Amino acid sequence: MSWESFLYMGGYAIYVWPAYGVTALVLVVNIVLPVLQRKQLLRELTIKQKRSQAR
């Protein structure tokens, strides 16, 4: 099996490769988004804690 035949996917490459791309995108978003939300939450909690200690 050559690389060209693998990439061509038996004529179904137009359907297979975008499906792989969408799947990879969803996996990356499912990893990155919670990390960013956690950082934002920790920032907000730190600010609230500093405000309550200042009182």
Side-chain angles (χ1 to χ4, degrees):
M1 179 196 264
S2 68
W3 279 105
E4 292 88 21
S5 64
F6 173 74
L7 294 175
Y8 186 61
M9 295 277 179
Y12 294 101
I14 191 94
Y15 306 107
V16 174
W17 291 115
Y20 281 148
V22 169
T23 301
L25 178 66
V26 168
L27 289 173
V28 168
V29 168
N30 278 329
I31 292 169
V32 171
L33 196 58
V35 170
L36 294 176
Q37 288 174 339
R38 180 179 183 272
K39 286 182 180 182
Q40 179 64 31
L41 177 63
L42 290 175
R43 267 188 244 119
E44 291 173 5
L45 290 174
T46 302
I47 291 169
K48 285 183 181 182
Q49 185 178 20
K50 287 179 181 178
R51 283 183 186 161
S52 66
Q53 287 177 353
R55 290 183 184 179

